[in-house]
Amino acid sequence: MVSQQLDPQAVQQRARALVAAARERLVAQSAQRTAAVMPRLERVLAAFAAERVGTQHFASLTGYGHGDQGRQVLDRVFARVLGAETAAVRLQFVSGTHAIAAALFGVLRPGDRMLAITGRPYDTLEEVIGLRGSGQGSLAEFGVAYDQLELTSSAEAAGEVDEQALDRALEIPRRLILIQRSCGYSWRPSLSVETIGRLCERIHRRQPDCVCFVDNCYGELVEDQEPPAVGADLVAGSLIKNLGGTIAPGGGYVAGRADLVEQACCRLTAPGIGSEGGTGFDLHRLLLQGLFLAPQMVAEALIGADLVAETFSALGYAVQPQAGAARSDLIQAVQLGDPEALKVVCRAFQACSPIGSYLDPVPAAMPGYASDLVMAGGTFIDGSTSEFSADAPLREPFNLYVQGGTHRTHVELALVRALTALHTAGLVDLFHTG
């Protein structure tokens, strides 16, 4: 608890000094994040050039959208960037969860077995699988069996995929293995693309026909390769995360083997229509331009995540991952350990948002989530996590999950406001820490 009350201006100045000091300690790491933009942008530009993208591809057909050349070019560009055989990029996907669900329902059939090897999946997939709720047509209700491997807990390798347990689980035929690249709402390292490639090779060696499916949300363009390039059969994600470059108005994608992508599209539309239908509502330009901007936006978000980690770590909070560590997604977790601290930080971040700064985030139920959430996200695209946002499930140990950010300066300003608010609320003493 704070033992003394000081002038508000002095508190803010102290907060600014702490955040600025954290930024200075990260100069070398920030330069490395910035340098990594070049190879990723080169990959994007090469895809645009190879597919001869022109202004004519910005327009969409109406109605059924049959033979829409803009949609076809968009799919091919994304496939090249993701290292996939093909891709389907659709505004009709309302979220990453929707894209993932379409892939699961497209590939799996009654009597098939799926196995999650990265622990319990992200909250919004629980009802899709059938781990929570009933009567909505989950995979379980359609006769798909589900098994789950827990992550390792040893001190030397905590939070990693248990590869010995995986070998034992593969003694039973599996149709699909679910790999969640991002940490989600867990306290574990996110999986690197190299690790995903090694896991896919291990799985395919034992069961060549098993589909390695990666929930790629939050991970795109964080590394120089994507999972399809290292053996993943199918990936899915959201366009209001990394690949949308902060300007895609909605949508999601599936990418990978052509037959699997088509099966996913048959669940999005209908069997017999698959990927051949669906208008782009004349929004292809925003999706293409967002992809062009994405490498830079992702780098800024990573620099912001480092700053969040360094700032809170200096105040004594546990963070995952550490500032400057190798990353495979945009998410930065901070263990605040106190529900009131979660609310204070989210309110401060919301107050520093460009949209809805006057709103007061309060914990509330959210569709698809098991716990009440407190969310800060005054973003131009509603729900965008490529823009700066933070959210937290109201459950122990009361971790805050921060993601996105169009530029590092915005993150710095939000941190100053958050530290000032924490001190004012008596939850941290800025003058005797850091």
Side-chain angles (χ1 to χ4, degrees), residues 240-241 375 377 379 381-386 389:
I240 62 171
K241 295 184 174 67
M375 307 187 74
T379 54
I381 304 299
D382 185 39
S384 170
T385 48
S386 54
S389 63

Side-chain angles (χ1 to χ4, degrees), residues 123-158:
D123 287 37
T124 57
L125 287 180
E126 292 178 356
E127 289 176 280
V128 173
I129 294 167
L131 302 178
R132 182 163 49 85
S134 62
Q136 298 183 80
S138 67
L139 289 167
E141 291 172 351
F142 277 93
V144 174
Y146 171 82
D147 295 304
Q148 174 181 304
L149 297 184
E150 299 307 320
L151 297 166
T152 57
S153 57
S154 66
E156 304 81 30

